[in-house]
Amino acid sequence: MIYVVDASAAIAWFVPEPEHVDADFLLGNSMRRVAPDLIFAEVANVLQRKVRLGQITAQQAVDGLTTLDESIDEILPSKALCRQAFDLSRKLDHSVYDCMYLAATLSTDDSYLVTSDMKFLTKAHAAGEGDRIRTLETAHALFASAQENKHG
């Protein structure tokens, strides 16, 4: 399985959030993780905000950035996705930043975007662009079901 991981899903790997348990399955070896290069700046920004607010330590943020760097199998250049993301942004009336992940998904065969951004997911579905997007919860349930069927 190929998952394009957005910043909201990646943050859940190393910051205690309600979705944290569901995000851990994405770190398994049985799947490929793809993201636009934008993910590093977005995750670093969220981690810095959490450090400033006292929700995590600076060392936890650094460890999170290391985990992120080690966990993304393929990094797609934003330059190659920007025009498509811009067009999607206009269609969805949503940020180009979030649409970069959808553009990455649409340009990566057999992939699904995994996110915990419900506002984005709702807009994508309303615009007819949600077929290849999964919430963390849904992606986890599908993964667990496939594993169960595989091992009988």
Side-chain angles (χ1 to χ4, degrees), residues 5 10-11 13-14 27 33-37 39-41 43-44 47 60-75:
V5 180
I11 283 290
W13 286 334
F14 32 78
L27 294 171
R33 291 159 299 274
V34 176
D37 53 19
I39 194 170
F40 297 101
V43 168
L47 291 173
Q60 286 173 307
V62 169
D63 292 346
L65 290 172
T66 300
T67 299
L68 178 65
D69 188 45
E70 294 170 350
S71 299
I72 302 298
D73 300 308
E74 183 178 353
I75 301 163

Side-chain angles (χ1 to χ4, degrees), residues 1-3 5 9 13 20-34 67 70-74 114 136 139-140 143-144 147 150:
M1 178 62 66
I2 303 169
Y3 280 116
V5 180
W13 286 334
H20 183 75
V21 173
D22 289 337
D24 289 346
F25 81 97
L26 289 169
L27 294 171
N29 291 330
S30 63
M31 63 191 64
R32 196 166 123 232
R33 291 159 299 274
V34 176
T67 299
E70 294 170 350
S71 299
I72 302 298
D73 300 308
E74 183 178 353
V114 63
L136 278 170
H140 181 257
F143 174 77
Q147 293 301 309
K150 186 179 189 181

Side-chain angles (χ1 to χ4, degrees), residues 38-92:
L38 169 71
I39 194 170
F40 297 101
E42 282 201 305
V43 168
N45 190 60
V46 171
L47 291 173
Q48 172 55 21
R49 183 172 12 109
K50 290 186 177 292
V51 168
R52 189 178 66 246
L53 294 172
Q55 297 173 345
I56 62 172
T57 66
Q59 187 58 54
Q60 286 173 307
V62 169
D63 292 346
L65 290 172
T66 300
T67 299
L68 178 65
D69 188 45
E70 294 170 350
S71 299
I72 302 298
D73 300 308
E74 183 178 353
I75 301 163
L76 304 177
S78 296
K79 182 179 179 181
L81 303 169
C82 199
R83 178 56 189 251
Q84 186 177 19
F86 177 80
D87 292 342
L88 288 164
S89 175
R90 293 191 60 199
K91 183 176 181 179
L92 275 61

